[in-house]
Short mmCIF file of all heavy atoms in Angstrom, two decimals:
data_model
loop_
_atom_site.label_atom_id
_atom_site.label_comp_id
_atom_site.label_asym_id
_atom_site.label_seq_id
_atom_site.Cartn_x
_atom_site.Cartn_y
_atom_site.Cartn_z
N MET W 1 53.10 62.23 -53.63
CA MET W 1 51.92 61.74 -52.92
C MET W 1 50.81 62.79 -52.89
O MET W 1 49.64 62.49 -52.96
CB MET W 1 52.28 61.34 -51.49
CG MET W 1 51.15 60.70 -50.71
SD MET W 1 51.76 59.96 -49.19
CE MET W 1 50.26 59.19 -48.62
N GLU W 2 51.19 64.06 -52.83
CA GLU W 2 50.20 65.12 -52.76
C GLU W 2 49.35 65.17 -54.02
O GLU W 2 48.24 65.69 -54.01
CB GLU W 2 50.88 66.48 -52.53
CG GLU W 2 51.58 66.60 -51.19
CD GLU W 2 50.63 66.54 -50.02
OE1 GLU W 2 49.43 66.80 -50.20
OE2 GLU W 2 51.10 66.23 -48.91
N ASN W 3 49.89 64.66 -55.16
CA ASN W 3 49.16 64.71 -56.42
C ASN W 3 48.27 63.51 -56.64
O ASN W 3 47.58 63.41 -57.64
CB ASN W 3 50.15 64.84 -57.59
CG ASN W 3 50.94 66.14 -57.51
OD1 ASN W 3 50.40 67.16 -57.09
ND2 ASN W 3 52.21 66.08 -57.89
N SER W 4 48.27 62.55 -55.72
CA SER W 4 47.47 61.34 -55.84
C SER W 4 46.35 61.35 -54.81
O SER W 4 46.43 62.02 -53.79
CB SER W 4 48.35 60.10 -55.63
OG SER W 4 49.42 60.10 -56.55
N ALA W 5 45.30 60.60 -55.12
CA ALA W 5 44.21 60.48 -54.16
C ALA W 5 44.69 59.71 -52.93
O ALA W 5 45.43 58.73 -53.05
CB ALA W 5 43.04 59.77 -54.82
N TYR W 6 44.31 60.16 -51.76
CA TYR W 6 44.73 59.47 -50.55
C TYR W 6 43.65 59.56 -49.49
O TYR W 6 42.78 60.40 -49.52
CB TYR W 6 46.06 60.02 -50.02
CG TYR W 6 46.08 61.51 -49.78
CD1 TYR W 6 45.64 62.05 -48.57
CD2 TYR W 6 46.56 62.37 -50.76
CE1 TYR W 6 45.67 63.41 -48.34
CE2 TYR W 6 46.58 63.75 -50.53
CZ TYR W 6 46.14 64.26 -49.32
OH TYR W 6 46.16 65.61 -49.11
N ARG W 7 43.71 58.62 -48.55
CA ARG W 7 42.79 58.59 -47.42
C ARG W 7 43.46 59.31 -46.25
O ARG W 7 44.67 59.26 -46.09
CB ARG W 7 42.48 57.12 -47.01
CG ARG W 7 42.27 56.16 -48.17
CD ARG W 7 41.06 56.51 -49.01
NE ARG W 7 39.82 56.24 -48.30
CZ ARG W 7 39.16 55.06 -48.38
NH1 ARG W 7 39.66 54.06 -49.10
NH2 ARG W 7 38.02 54.90 -47.74
N ARG W 8 42.63 59.94 -45.43
CA ARG W 8 43.16 60.72 -44.32
C ARG W 8 42.62 60.20 -42.99
O ARG W 8 41.41 60.04 -42.80
CB ARG W 8 42.79 62.20 -44.49
CG ARG W 8 43.53 62.88 -45.63
CD ARG W 8 42.95 64.27 -45.89
NE ARG W 8 43.08 65.16 -44.74
CZ ARG W 8 44.12 65.96 -44.53
NH1 ARG W 8 45.14 65.95 -45.37
NH2 ARG W 8 44.15 66.75 -43.47
N ILE W 9 43.53 59.95 -42.06
CA ILE W 9 43.18 59.48 -40.71
C ILE W 9 43.72 60.50 -39.71
O ILE W 9 44.92 60.80 -39.70
CB ILE W 9 43.80 58.10 -40.42
CG1 ILE W 9 43.33 57.08 -41.45
CG2 ILE W 9 43.45 57.65 -39.00
CD1 ILE W 9 44.08 55.75 -41.37
N ALA W 10 42.85 61.04 -38.88
CA ALA W 10 43.29 61.99 -37.86
C ALA W 10 43.79 61.24 -36.63
O ALA W 10 43.20 60.24 -36.21
CB ALA W 10 42.14 62.91 -37.46
N VAL W 11 44.88 61.71 -36.06
CA VAL W 11 45.44 61.11 -34.84
C VAL W 11 45.63 62.24 -33.82
O VAL W 11 46.34 63.21 -34.08
CB VAL W 11 46.79 60.43 -35.11
CG1 VAL W 11 47.26 59.69 -33.86
CG2 VAL W 11 46.70 59.48 -36.30
N LEU W 12 44.97 62.09 -32.67
CA LEU W 12 45.10 63.09 -31.62
C LEU W 12 45.06 62.41 -30.26
O LEU W 12 44.71 61.23 -30.16
CB LEU W 12 44.01 64.15 -31.73
CG LEU W 12 42.57 63.80 -31.34
CD1 LEU W 12 41.72 65.06 -31.20
CD2 LEU W 12 41.92 62.89 -32.38
N ALA W 13 45.38 63.16 -29.22
CA ALA W 13 45.41 62.59 -27.87
C ALA W 13 45.44 63.71 -26.85
O ALA W 13 45.62 64.88 -27.17
CB ALA W 13 46.64 61.70 -27.69
N ASP W 14 45.23 63.33 -25.59
CA ASP W 14 45.34 64.26 -24.46
C ASP W 14 44.55 65.54 -24.70
O ASP W 14 45.05 66.65 -24.50
CB ASP W 14 46.81 64.55 -24.17
CG ASP W 14 47.53 63.33 -23.62
OD1 ASP W 14 47.25 62.95 -22.47
OD2 ASP W 14 48.34 62.74 -24.34
N THR W 15 43.29 65.38 -25.13
CA THR W 15 42.44 66.56 -25.33
C THR W 15 41.97 67.13 -24.00
O THR W 15 41.62 68.31 -23.93
CB THR W 15 41.22 66.20 -26.20
OG1 THR W 15 40.67 64.94 -25.78
CG2 THR W 15 41.62 66.08 -27.66
N HIS W 16 41.92 66.31 -22.96
CA HIS W 16 41.61 66.78 -21.60
C HIS W 16 40.41 67.74 -21.57
O HIS W 16 40.50 68.86 -21.09
CB HIS W 16 42.83 67.44 -20.97
CG HIS W 16 43.92 66.46 -20.62
ND1 HIS W 16 43.88 65.68 -19.48
CD2 HIS W 16 45.05 66.13 -21.28
CE1 HIS W 16 44.96 64.91 -19.45
NE2 HIS W 16 45.69 65.16 -20.54
N ASP W 17 39.31 67.26 -22.13
CA ASP W 17 38.04 68.00 -22.07
C ASP W 17 38.04 69.28 -22.89
O ASP W 17 37.24 70.18 -22.65
CB ASP W 17 37.66 68.30 -20.62
CG ASP W 17 36.15 68.45 -20.43
OD1 ASP W 17 35.40 67.95 -21.28
OD2 ASP W 17 35.73 69.08 -19.45
N LEU W 18 38.95 69.39 -23.87
CA LEU W 18 38.98 70.57 -24.74
C LEU W 18 39.15 70.13 -26.19
O LEU W 18 40.17 69.52 -26.54
CB LEU W 18 40.11 71.51 -24.35
CG LEU W 18 40.33 72.71 -25.30
CD1 LEU W 18 39.11 73.62 -25.29
CD2 LEU W 18 41.60 73.48 -24.90
N LEU W 19 38.17 70.43 -27.03
CA LEU W 19 38.26 70.15 -28.46
C LEU W 19 38.32 71.50 -29.17
O LEU W 19 37.30 72.19 -29.32
CB LEU W 19 37.07 69.32 -28.93
CG LEU W 19 37.18 68.70 -30.33
CD1 LEU W 19 38.44 67.86 -30.46
CD2 LEU W 19 35.96 67.86 -30.63
N ARG W 20 39.50 71.88 -29.57
CA ARG W 20 39.71 73.19 -30.18
C ARG W 20 39.04 73.29 -31.56
O ARG W 20 39.09 72.33 -32.34
CB ARG W 20 41.21 73.46 -30.34
CG ARG W 20 41.97 73.53 -29.03
CD ARG W 20 43.47 73.62 -29.29
NE ARG W 20 44.21 73.68 -28.04
CZ ARG W 20 44.50 74.80 -27.41
NH1 ARG W 20 44.11 75.96 -27.93
NH2 ARG W 20 45.17 74.79 -26.27
N PRO W 21 38.46 74.43 -31.89
CA PRO W 21 37.84 74.62 -33.22
C PRO W 21 38.81 74.35 -34.36
O PRO W 21 38.44 73.78 -35.38
CB PRO W 21 37.40 76.08 -33.19
CG PRO W 21 37.17 76.38 -31.75
CD PRO W 21 38.23 75.61 -31.02
N GLU W 22 40.08 74.73 -34.19
CA GLU W 22 41.06 74.50 -35.23
C GLU W 22 41.37 73.01 -35.40
O GLU W 22 41.69 72.55 -36.50
CB GLU W 22 42.34 75.29 -34.95
CG GLU W 22 42.93 75.00 -33.58
CD GLU W 22 43.81 76.13 -33.09
OE1 GLU W 22 44.78 76.48 -33.79
OE2 GLU W 22 43.52 76.66 -32.00
N ALA W 23 41.26 72.25 -34.30
CA ALA W 23 41.42 70.80 -34.40
C ALA W 23 40.22 70.20 -35.12
O ALA W 23 40.37 69.30 -35.96
CB ALA W 23 41.57 70.19 -33.01
N VAL W 24 39.03 70.69 -34.81
CA VAL W 24 37.81 70.20 -35.47
C VAL W 24 37.90 70.42 -36.98
O VAL W 24 37.49 69.57 -37.78
CB VAL W 24 36.57 70.90 -34.90
CG1 VAL W 24 35.32 70.57 -35.73
CG2 VAL W 24 36.35 70.49 -33.45
N LYS W 25 38.45 71.56 -37.38
CA LYS W 25 38.60 71.85 -38.80
C LYS W 25 39.44 70.79 -39.50
O LYS W 25 39.13 70.36 -40.62
CB LYS W 25 39.24 73.24 -38.97
CG LYS W 25 39.31 73.71 -40.41
CD LYS W 25 39.87 75.13 -40.48
CE LYS W 25 39.93 75.60 -41.93
NZ LYS W 25 40.47 77.00 -42.01
N VAL W 26 40.51 70.34 -38.84
CA VAL W 26 41.35 69.28 -39.40
C VAL W 26 40.60 67.95 -39.39
O VAL W 26 40.62 67.20 -40.37
CB VAL W 26 42.67 69.14 -38.60
CG1 VAL W 26 43.49 67.96 -39.13
CG2 VAL W 26 43.47 70.44 -38.68
N LEU W 27 39.92 67.66 -38.28
CA LEU W 27 39.19 66.40 -38.16
C LEU W 27 38.16 66.23 -39.27
O LEU W 27 37.93 65.12 -39.76
CB LEU W 27 38.49 66.34 -36.80
CG LEU W 27 39.39 66.28 -35.56
CD1 LEU W 27 38.57 66.40 -34.29
CD2 LEU W 27 40.21 65.00 -35.54
N ARG W 28 37.54 67.33 -39.69
CA ARG W 28 36.50 67.25 -40.71
C ARG W 28 37.05 66.93 -42.09
O ARG W 28 36.29 66.64 -43.02
CB ARG W 28 35.70 68.55 -40.74
CG ARG W 28 34.87 68.78 -39.47
CD ARG W 28 33.84 69.88 -39.64
NE ARG W 28 33.13 70.15 -38.38
CZ ARG W 28 32.16 69.39 -37.90
NH1 ARG W 28 31.76 68.32 -38.57
NH2 ARG W 28 31.57 69.70 -36.75
N THR W 29 38.37 66.97 -42.24
CA THR W 29 38.99 66.58 -43.52
C THR W 29 39.37 65.11 -43.53
O THR W 29 39.92 64.63 -44.52
CB THR W 29 40.25 67.42 -43.79
OG1 THR W 29 41.30 67.05 -42.88
CG2 THR W 29 39.96 68.91 -43.67
N CYS W 30 39.11 64.41 -42.42
CA CYS W 30 39.52 63.01 -42.28
C CYS W 30 38.31 62.09 -42.20
O CYS W 30 37.23 62.52 -41.79
CB CYS W 30 40.38 62.84 -41.03
SG CYS W 30 41.89 63.87 -41.05
N GLU W 31 38.50 60.84 -42.56
CA GLU W 31 37.37 59.91 -42.54
C GLU W 31 37.40 58.95 -41.36
O GLU W 31 36.43 58.22 -41.13
CB GLU W 31 37.30 59.12 -43.84
CG GLU W 31 38.58 58.44 -44.26
CD GLU W 31 38.50 57.91 -45.68
OE1 GLU W 31 37.63 57.06 -45.94
OE2 GLU W 31 39.31 58.35 -46.52
N VAL W 32 38.47 58.96 -40.59
CA VAL W 32 38.58 58.15 -39.37
C VAL W 32 39.36 58.98 -38.35
O VAL W 32 40.26 59.74 -38.71
CB VAL W 32 39.30 56.81 -39.61
CG1 VAL W 32 39.35 55.99 -38.32
CG2 VAL W 32 38.64 56.01 -40.71
#
């Protein structure tokens, strides 16, 4: 699967008013 084109969806929860920079970095690789 890693060698094929794929769509990326980020799934997160319970951020409780904190969006970590490292989480943002992952989110920016996703389209939803």
Side-chain angles (χ1 to χ4, degrees):
M1 185 168 185
E2 295 295 339
N3 297 324
S4 303
Y6 55 86
R7 320 296 289 268
R8 290 171 61 90
I9 302 170
V11 186
L12 73 166
D14 292 290
T15 44
H16 290 280
D17 206 21
L18 174 63
L19 193 55
R20 297 173 180 272
E22 55 203 302
V24 171
K25 186 176 180 180
V26 176
L27 294 173
R28 293 194 185 283
T29 70
C30 301
E31 52 191 299
V32 182

